[in-house]
């Protein structure tokens, strides 16, 4: 996916389910839940920071008794800094004032700022507290699955399912390497490694069932994932309606995910329009919502023709900015006032023509 020199490590992972005990059975628009393991290096670091025996027996929820090292590897969330962890540390440290200040309800911004770049083991190392293996086991949350939008259609091959994943790797404040849990678990696994997965249904997020219904898809970054599946699906079904994709990232040279596939979709007429926004390639940064506004009259005409409007990606900023751009387009090119535009967009959602997969 991403090329050498990219600021992000983005990869496509494909799972072959032919040997699985039960068929996976997914549809375009669904997500895949991946159950990861914690990295061995992080487990070793946890054991060193706590000073505990890897073979100490602990009781883990519904699992039963397991060695502490196995609990740290398979069952416990040992990366996330939670208020519970910080309260636990504050109760055992000599000077808890700073931690208690961070835990005040009115200090969520400072807590988020302080936690950025840190993982739970960094807190242990920083405050040097001691507790028993069972205490840690009871305190830490369960290691949960991670959800990723599926970027393939079962109509292409029912046994193969693909994901588009940004691999999280960074250094903490002390310069030590830190990583996400699931993305490097996938990235560093040997080919053929069995990975526990299950399908997370998304019946609200499907390509148009009507072969004549146009689709407008906004998927910057890894948000492009389900729309590759949508385009594969519409091609396989022989749908003849126009499809329009907005894609954005930092640099065209290194971050144009699925460029070859998208070029093929354009050449085959499956993709009618492709508008891109590579924010670091221009003096004034441009994003997908800016491209939407640039093509406002045409986008409005697509909506008037019954197009479904889809958004996938970051919920905190991108989805809000795209939603505002949509409202602006409806206001300017639909000749509606602000309240009427809000009602129009709300009706799109009610009619299941405005669909979002945001996270």
């Amino acid at each position: 996916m991403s090329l050498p020199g990219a600021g992000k490590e983005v990869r496509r992972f494909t799972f072959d389910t032919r040997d699985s005990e039960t068929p996976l059975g997914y549809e375009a628009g669904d997500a895949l839940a991946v159950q990861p393991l914690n990295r061995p290096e992080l487990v070793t670091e946890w054991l060193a920071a706590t000073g505990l025996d890897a073979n100490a027996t602990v009781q883990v929820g519904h699992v039963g008794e397991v060695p502490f090292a196995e609990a740290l590897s398979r069952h416990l969330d040992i990366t996330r800094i939670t208020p519970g962890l910080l309260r636990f540390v504050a109760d055992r440290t000599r000077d808890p004032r700073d931690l208690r200040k961070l835990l005040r309800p009115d200090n969520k911004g400072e807590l988020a700022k302080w936690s950025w770049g840190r993982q739970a083991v960094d807190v242990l190392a920083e405050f040097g507290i001691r507790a028993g293996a069972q205490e840690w086991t009871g305190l830490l949350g369960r290691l949960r699955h991670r959800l990723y939008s599926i970027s393939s259609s079962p109509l292409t091959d029912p046994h193969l399912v693909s994901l588009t994943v940004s691999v999280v790797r960074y250094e903490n404040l002390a310069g030590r390497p830190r990583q996400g849990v699931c993305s490097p678990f996938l990235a560093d696994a040997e080919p053929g490694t069995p990975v526990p997965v299950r399908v997370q249904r998304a019946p609200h997020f499907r390509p148009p069932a009507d072969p004549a219904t146009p689709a407008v898809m906004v998927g910057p970054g890894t948000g492009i994932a389900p729309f590759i599946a949508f385009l594969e699906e519409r091609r396989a079904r022989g749908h003849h309606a126009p499809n329009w994709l907005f894609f954005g990232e930092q640099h065209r040279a290194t971050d144009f995910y699925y460029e070859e596939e998208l070029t093929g979709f354009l050449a085959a007429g499956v993709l009618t329009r492709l508008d891109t926004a590579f924010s670091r390639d221009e003096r004034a940064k441009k994003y997908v919502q800016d491209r939407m506004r640039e093509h406002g009259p045409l986008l409005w005409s697509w909506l008037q023709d019954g197009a479904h409007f889809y958004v996938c990606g970051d919920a905190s900023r991108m989805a809000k900015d795209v939603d505002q751009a949509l409202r602006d387009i409806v206001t300017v090119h639909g000749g509606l006032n602000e309240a009427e535009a809000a009602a129009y967009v709300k009706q799109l959602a009610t009619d299941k023509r405005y669909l979002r997969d945001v996270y």
Side-chain angles (χ1 to χ4, degrees), residues 180-218:
V181 177
C182 195
S183 58
F185 167 72
L186 292 173
D188 299 337
E190 292 294 326
T193 300
V195 176
V197 299
R198 62 176 176 80
V199 172
Q200 181 75 30
R201 302 288 175 196
H204 66 287
F205 197 77
R206 299 277 187 247
D210 186 339
T213 298
V216 179
M217 300 162 283
V218 183

Side-chain angles (χ1 to χ4, degrees), residues 161 169 240 267 269 298 356:
V161 55
R169 307 184 200 267
H240 52 77
L298 185 58
R356 310 201 312 170

Side-chain angles (χ1 to χ4, degrees), residues 114-190:
W114 182 86
S115 300
W116 189 90
R118 286 180 167 94
Q119 289 189 344
V121 73
D122 297 316
V123 177
L124 268 63
E126 189 170 337
F127 291 93
I129 66 164
R130 288 289 182 262
Q134 189 60 55
E135 285 183 283
W136 288 119
T137 303
L139 172 71
L140 297 168
R142 293 298 301 272
L143 180 58
R144 303 292 182 186
H145 62 260
R146 275 30 177 196
L147 284 176
Y148 298 100
S149 300
I150 294 174
S151 51
S152 57
S153 165
L155 298 185
T156 300
D157 187 326
H159 301 293
L160 300 180
V161 55
S162 295
L163 306 177
T164 306
V165 178
S166 181
V167 182
V168 178
R169 307 184 200 267
Y170 60 99
E171 289 186 350
N172 68 4
L173 299 176
R176 299 199 67 169
R178 290 284 177 254
Q179 309 193 42
V181 177
C182 195
S183 58
F185 167 72
L186 292 173
D188 299 337
E190 292 294 326

Side-chain angles (χ1 to χ4, degrees), residues 49-98:
T50 58
L52 295 170
D53 181 0
N55 296 313
T57 301
V58 294
Q59 182 77 29
V60 178
H62 301 296
V63 177
E65 290 189 347
V66 297
F68 187 44
E70 182 179 335
L72 293 174
S73 173
R74 291 184 171 274
H75 304 298
L76 301 177
D77 184 344
I78 61 175
T79 59
R80 197 160 60 96
I81 296 175
T82 64
L85 172 68
L86 294 183
R87 282 191 292 269
F88 185 84
V89 172
D91 288 343
R92 288 158 178 77
T93 190
R94 291 181 179 179
D95 187 358
R97 287 175 297 179
D98 289 345

Side-chain angles (χ1 to χ4, degrees), residues 20-37:
S20 63
E21 294 180 2
T22 55
L24 203 58
Y26 73 96
E27 296 181 56
D30 286 339
L32 199 66
V34 180
Q35 183 63 51
L37 298 176

Side-chain angles (χ1 to χ4, degrees), residues 298-347:
L298 185 58
L299 185 48
W300 170 248
S301 72
W302 278 52
L303 292 173
Q304 291 297 92
D305 288 341
H308 287 193
F309 185 84
Y310 299 90
V311 183
C312 181
D314 170 55
S316 62
R317 290 188 60 183
M318 181 280 295
K320 294 177 183 177
D321 292 340
V322 166
D323 184 79
Q324 187 58 55
L326 178 61
R327 290 166 188 266
D328 292 345
I329 288 166
V330 171
T331 301
V332 174
H333 303 290
L336 306 181
N337 62 36
E338 191 173 320
E340 291 168 337
Y344 179 91
V345 171
K346 184 178 180 181
Q347 190 62 47

